[in-house]
């Protein structure tokens, strides 16, 4: 595999080196892991298309992209409810 050099500040290099050491990786391997965890806009769009196709097949209904865009953010709402319950539980436990 061909490699290249990326210029960063000394502080950033030191930070990356420490993170890599904690994970038992080289800095290059750490950068690979970090980059893989951050999809590009094109990759996110491709994933969205694939996810919508899975939903269409799973429920057996042909939902248009416009209908998906207008649908409520169910998962986001679940996260919001869970966060509110966690905050409330901490408030009563304190």
């Amino acid at each position: 595999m061909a490699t290249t050099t990326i210029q960063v500040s000394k502080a950033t290099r030191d930070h990356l080196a420490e993170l890599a050491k904690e994970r038992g990786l080289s800095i290059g391997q750490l950068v690979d892991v970090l980059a893989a965890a951050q999809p590009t806009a094109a990759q996110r769009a491709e994933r969205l298309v694939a996810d919508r196709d899975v939903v269409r097949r799973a429920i057996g209904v042909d939902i248009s992209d416009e209908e998906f865009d207008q649908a409520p953010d169910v998962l986001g709402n679940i996260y919001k409810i869970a966060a509110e319950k966690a905050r409330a539980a901490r408030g009563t436990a304190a």
Side-chain angles (χ1 to χ4, degrees):
M1 171 175 68
T3 61
T4 190
T5 301
I6 300 173
Q7 293 185 357
V8 296
S9 69
K10 185 176 190 285
T12 298
R13 189 226 33 224
D14 293 346
H15 183 74
L16 289 170
E18 184 65 26
L19 290 172
K21 181 180 176 185
E22 289 173 358
R23 291 165 174 79
L25 303 170
S26 69
I27 292 177
Q29 290 169 323
L30 176 66
V31 170
D32 286 344
V33 168
L34 296 173
Q38 300 298 317
T40 65
Q43 290 168 325
R44 288 190 305 273
E46 186 177 295
R47 175 70 186 265
L48 180 63
V49 168
D51 288 348
R52 287 179 174 184
D53 286 343
V54 168
V55 170
R56 287 177 180 118
R57 284 193 307 273
I59 65 173
V61 177
D62 188 20
I63 300 172
S64 71
D65 286 339
E66 293 77 22
E67 290 169 319
F68 269 111
D69 292 340
Q70 294 171 3
D73 179 8
V74 176
L75 186 57
N77 290 337
I78 291 170
Y79 287 148
K80 190 184 310 179
I81 291 166
E84 289 169 2
K85 287 184 178 276
R87 281 192 294 276
R90 280 195 305 259
T92 57

